[in-house]
Amino acid sequence: MTEHHPDDSYQPEVVEAKWQARWAERHTNEPDLEGATRPFYNLMMFPYPSAEGLHVGNFFAFTGADVYGRFKRLQGYQVFEPMGFDAFGIHSENYALRIGTHPAELIPRNIENFRRQLKRLGGMFDWRHQLSTTDPDYYRWTQWLFLQLYHAGKAYKKKAAVNWCPRDKTVLANEQVINGTCERCGSPVEQRFLEQWFFRITDYAERLLANLADPTKMDWSASTVSAQRNWIGRSEGAEIDFPSEAGPIRVFTTRPDTLFGGTFLVLAPEHPLVDRLTAGSERAIVEAYRKAAAAKDIVSRKVGEKEKTGVFTGAFAVNPATGAKIPVWISDYVLMEYGTGAIGGVPAHDERDFLFALTYRLPIVRVLAAEGETGSTPVYEPSTGTSGLRLVNSGQFSELPAEQGIQAIIAWLEAEQLGKRRVQYRLHDWCISRQRYWGPPIPIIYCDACGPVPVPEKDLPVLLPLIPDFQPDDSGISPLARHEEWYRVPCPRCGGKAHRETDVSDTFLDSAWYYLRYLATEFADRPFDPARNQRWLPVASYIGGNEHAVLHLLYSRFIAMGLHDQGQLDFEEPFRKFRAHGTIVKDGAKMSKSRGNVVIPDQYVSKWGADTFRTYLMFLGPYEEGGDFRDEGLSGPRRFLDKVWELVQRCERRTLTGEELQHGIVVKWHQTKKRVTLGLEQLSYNTAIAALMELLNALRAVNCSERKIVKEFVIMLAPFAPHFAEECWERLGATTSVFEAGWPDWDEGLTLEQEIEVPVQVNGKTRSRVRVPRGATEEHVVAAALRDPAVTKFTDGAPSKIIYVKDRLLNLVVRNAVRGKG
RNA sequence: GCCGGGGUGGCGAAACUGGCAAACGCAAGGGACUUAAAAUCCCUUGGGAGCAAUCCCUUGCGGGUUCGAUCCCCGCCCCCGGCACCA
């Protein structure tokens, strides 16, 4: 053991290895889950171990969350900061396929590498509670969760039009289709009709939406809240029945006020009434159109295509408001999965209906008019909203303002039993079946006699068999179906011939409840522990990427709500506070493998040290906005740490000198404590670090190394540079961790300077400053200002108006401003 | 089109939600130390005028409110993200 000398230099690799070892030995990062009196659950989104390793974006995310956890720790909370691996799923399986290694072999290897990187970063992780979603002890409970939802009637199987990715050879949830392409591989998604398992997330649409606006339940980033709102997509309106030969045709509209302008109906090609409506002579054309529509992939069906096509079914319906006989058409601009799959065409007030009417020469009747218009000209009126519009050509409703017209017509429809008020959501049920190998098998058995039978809980987990041929194919059937010995089982209910469900569940089901499992990893007999949940949940702080706004973050809320309604959880919102971190770009450009500019953290950690790397990441931009990673930037934070190191080596216990006091060291010190504390609480890490740099510069300027200040400096630096701070703390004579030290408090009175410089403006332009004591009266400051030639040069006589903001600013208003003569 | 977040020096950015615009850092230039380089230290660095004290201009664009606007209001432009033939 070498003795430290006051002048020995900062060697990150030595310091970091030492403290990582010591944290492990001392169990520094392992809070008492049973007895914690001030528990703080600090969660960050766990990674997919599906690549060579973590990239700088992951490090940025984890570091920011870790800084917050360490700050809370220093404030005296017992912080639980777990880490795990989202190791099931297409991303991991695709990676295994590409590498040509079985995922069961590859993924544990990746996890080891991820763990190594994470430990090197110096996160405050409690490794006792590490989990992997691929562990049977984990996915046993994922399957259990499926059964809970199944028994609650929240899981069901139906044959439906689903998104099929031809490259990944599986169905996808709507949330995993981005602009008609696969979220994972970017292939255009096809439509297939398959029997799939769904979760009834739509049952919770209203609650999921309402809680977003409830600050007692959720404090989330605005961008995430907005994305979820858009995704849930609530619309208010009415459904209206149009009588026809084949029975009533129900349409949904958000604008019942335009009902009198409905001159035709349009049904989606897949609409179930089309067969019955179609007249004999039109049958061939209608069939051809339906076939063509079905053949289109989702991209071209939903995106672009402004020209409208469609065919007449030969049938007519009656507009219940006007009594007019109106033709029934089909067109692919009407989508079966939204509303009722049928619309009333109002060509005068809807752009799409207008284009359709123009193409097929359908009548256009205007029923809304602006102020001072009669509405007699039958042209399309592109109007968004209802403001300034009134109804015309609308029978007894004419002349009502549009907003009132909506309410009046709904009331009339309800009275006449022609329709009713209705809220429509864009959100669809969550399709969780995947025709892939690498996931938890859905715990259902199909019996020839009993039908679908849930696997009894005592038989869980349904183990994923180790099979060599796990490649997916085009059949729409999971690779597991090829394995008879696994596929064929006796029925758990009657013992008769039966077979297993061969689909696995969506990865997002694995990740929808992992925060519960972290708290209970040592329990084999239960998925989570009520007493621990009671103590630690909901999660106090959750940090992650906004790309999961309508995926993981929505699904997790749904699962918590479902469990809550089953009496399993006593909260329904799992993440009290969520903050979305920003994204990192490299030299101004997005990082991507094809560009070859992906930053691998390891080399930087080796060169600069983890503490410098962490500090740089937190300094390079606002945490919630991200920033630009530039190699040159690392030298700044490293120089900063070197200077702090040097300050620590020469620090001494003494009183401040007159010169130091004169330079306002005490004020700067207390101001810094305040700024760093508030900055950390708001995740404004870049400004917190800047404040510390300012204090350091101020100390160095007067050569001050007073021990009390240096100690508090080290504590405040500890969230960013934990190993470094521990080492400094020890060298300052401590025998316990710096994280036991407690967060420094500041004296508000001492953050204010006693003598201040008040800017003096003339007509709003700063012309000079006067030094006055804090709290000086207006008279005092004005008198001082008018003694200053730099001011009087511009005033030329008595000011006509004086604005004085105490301790802030003096503004003298003069009528004839004198121009500066230089 | 609708919703959310942005637009400030050569660059990353800061500014008590109305009060000295550009803190902190990077890069660049000059100087000191050194045989030299690196490291370190000191100085300069938004634009323009001036020998200078100093003055004028400057927060995407155009208006407005105000003694005073990066901040508030109105009308635009551009960038990032979400939703979107959604009725």
Side-chain angles (χ1 to χ4, degrees), chain A residues 650-679:
Chain A
R650 66 182 169 79
C651 103
E652 52 194 334
R653 191 192 308 270
R654 59 169 172 79
T655 51
L656 289 172
T657 64
E659 191 206 3
E660 287 162 0
L661 291 170
Q662 178 120 44
H663 281 81
I665 287 296
V666 171
V667 169
K668 191 79 191 165
W669 171 32
H670 284 267
Q671 282 176 343
T672 303
K673 289 194 273 188
K674 183 177 181 179
R675 285 174 65 192
V676 173
T677 307
L678 299 180

Side-chain angles (χ1 to χ4, degrees), chain A residues 90-117:
Chain A
I90 298 179
H91 37 263
S92 296
E93 189 180 330
N94 283 356
Y95 179 63
L97 284 165
R98 201 163 63 242
I99 302 293
T101 309
H102 196 283
E105 185 192 330
L106 182 66
I107 297 305
R109 234 158 60 198
N110 283 357
I111 287 180
E112 248 340 286
N113 189 38
F114 275 47
R115 270 170 54 94
R116 181 191 58 76
Q117 286 184 298

Side-chain angles (χ1 to χ4, degrees), chain A residues 21 26-27 59-60 97 107 182 195 225 265 325 394 455 483 486 524 651 691 717:
Chain A
R26 292 177 173 175
H27 306 285
F59 268 45
F60 178 72
L97 284 165
I107 297 305
C182 171
E195 208 173 348
V225 169
L265 289 187
K325 193 175 155 196
S394 296
V455 173
H483 289 263
W486 183 84
C651 103
L717 186 56

Side-chain angles (χ1 to χ4, degrees), chain A residues 61-74:
Chain A
F62 296 148
T63 302
D66 185 62
V67 166
Y68 194 69
R70 289 185 178 278
F71 171 55
K72 288 292 149 186
R73 170 74 180 275
L74 278 160

Side-chain angles (χ1 to χ4, degrees), chain A residues 71-333:
Chain A
F71 171 55
K72 288 292 149 186
R73 170 74 180 275
L74 278 160
Q75 285 187 322
Y77 292 94
Q78 286 105 44
V79 177
F80 180 48
E81 187 173 301
M83 180 49 74
F85 302 95
D86 192 9
F88 260 148
I90 298 179
H91 37 263
S92 296
E93 189 180 330
N94 283 356
Y95 179 63
L97 284 165
R98 201 163 63 242
I99 302 293
T101 309
H102 196 283
E105 185 192 330
L106 182 66
I107 297 305
R109 234 158 60 198
N110 283 357
I111 287 180
E112 248 340 286
N113 189 38
F114 275 47
R115 270 170 54 94
R116 181 191 58 76
Q117 286 184 298
L118 287 162
K119 287 187 171 177
R120 226 178 146 201
L121 180 67
M124 201 175 55
F125 302 118
D126 183 346
W127 290 108
R128 291 175 308 172
H129 290 270
Q130 177 189 325
L131 61 79
S132 168
T133 54
T134 54
D135 188 334
D137 285 340
Y138 185 88
Y139 71 76
R140 167 185 185 179
W141 301 111
T142 307
Q143 292 169 336
W144 173 88
L145 196 57
F146 176 93
L147 294 177
Q148 296 299 301
L149 290 160
Y150 179 83
H151 293 309
K154 299 285 181 208
Y156 65 97
K157 198 173 192 188
K158 74 167 178 195
K159 188 162 184 169
V162 290
N163 312 300
W164 174 266
C165 173
R167 177 107 146 255
D168 285 335
K169 303 191 192 308
T170 179
V171 302
L172 301 170
N174 288 332
E175 288 79 4
Q176 288 149 19
V177 179
I178 311 297
N179 286 331
T181 61
C182 171
E183 182 239 350
R184 302 272 2 136
C185 69
S187 315
V189 166
E190 296 166 1
Q191 195 171 70
R192 283 198 179 187
F193 283 85
L194 293 169
E195 208 173 348
Q196 302 289 316
W197 283 97
F198 288 86
F199 284 161
R200 288 190 203 279
I201 190 170
T202 53
D203 283 1
Y204 291 106
E206 192 62 58
R207 266 159 81 190
L208 289 167
L209 198 59
N211 287 357
L212 287 174
D214 183 347
T216 64
K217 289 185 177 137
M218 301 176 74
D219 165 19
W220 281 31
S221 290
S223 53
T224 316
V225 169
S226 158
Q228 289 207 351
R229 276 215 183 96
N230 288 337
W231 186 257
I232 295 168
R234 184 180 197 274
S235 297
E236 282 182 17
E239 37 179 56
I240 305 172
D241 287 335
F242 286 63
S244 80
E245 298 107 87
I249 299 171
R250 182 162 292 181
V251 306
F252 173 73
T253 178
T254 55
R255 295 298 301 271
D257 53 324
T258 63
L259 180 57
F260 284 77
T263 54
F264 55 94
L265 289 187
V266 190
L267 311 195
E270 307 88 347
H271 196 288
L273 280 178
V274 172
D275 270 336
R276 263 193 284 159
L277 283 163
T278 307
S281 56
E282 312 288 342
R283 195 163 291 278
I285 307 166
V286 168
E287 269 319 304
Y289 188 83
R290 296 179 88 181
K291 273 218 180 77
K296 279 191 191 175
D297 64 74
I298 290 172
V299 186
S300 49
R301 169 81 188 264
K302 284 193 172 175
V303 185
E305 287 211 29
K306 285 295 167 212
E307 347 55 279
K308 299 286 171 279
T309 62
V311 292
F312 178 46
T313 60
F316 289 87
V318 176
N319 181 326
T322 61
K325 193 175 155 196
I326 58 174
V328 181
W329 287 67
I330 64 171
S331 171
D332 63 3
Y333 83 90

Side-chain angles (χ1 to χ4, degrees), chain A residues 321-463:
Chain A
T322 61
K325 193 175 155 196
I326 58 174
V328 181
W329 287 67
I330 64 171
S331 171
D332 63 3
Y333 83 90
V334 177
L335 307 171
M336 195 58 222
E337 67 271 15
Y338 187 76
T340 60
I343 61 156
V346 185
H349 304 289
D350 181 281
E351 190 187 1
R352 297 151 303 181
D353 298 346
F354 177 67
L355 292 172
F356 193 74
L358 275 191
T359 309
Y360 298 107
R361 303 188 182 285
L362 296 162
I364 300 170
V365 176
R366 226 173 135 187
V367 291
L368 290 173
E371 206 63 45
E373 272 190 302
T374 60
S376 55
T377 30
V379 291
Y380 167 61
E381 180 61 43
S383 55
T384 47
T386 51
S387 75
L389 296 173
R390 66 180 204 287
L391 272 61
V392 293
N393 297 327
S394 296
Q396 72 268 39
F397 303 104
S398 291
E399 298 306 317
L400 281 179
E403 204 51 57
Q404 283 177 37
I406 292 175
Q407 302 312 322
I409 289 183
I410 291 175
W412 174 75
L413 287 167
E414 288 183 337
E416 299 289 322
Q417 307 211 330
L418 294 166
K420 58 175 196 263
R421 188 178 299 280
R422 150 113 181 248
V423 173
Q424 174 68 41
Y425 297 95
R426 217 194 61 85
L427 181 72
H428 285 71
D429 278 343
W430 173 16
C431 174
I432 61 133
S433 305
R434 294 294 178 273
Q435 291 71 46
R436 296 286 296 234
Y437 166 68
W438 193 237
I442 292 174
I444 292 287
I445 289 168
Y446 299 99
C447 169
D448 295 348
C450 312
V453 179
V455 173
E457 274 184 34
K458 67 173 170 54
D459 294 342
L460 296 181
V462 177
L463 284 172

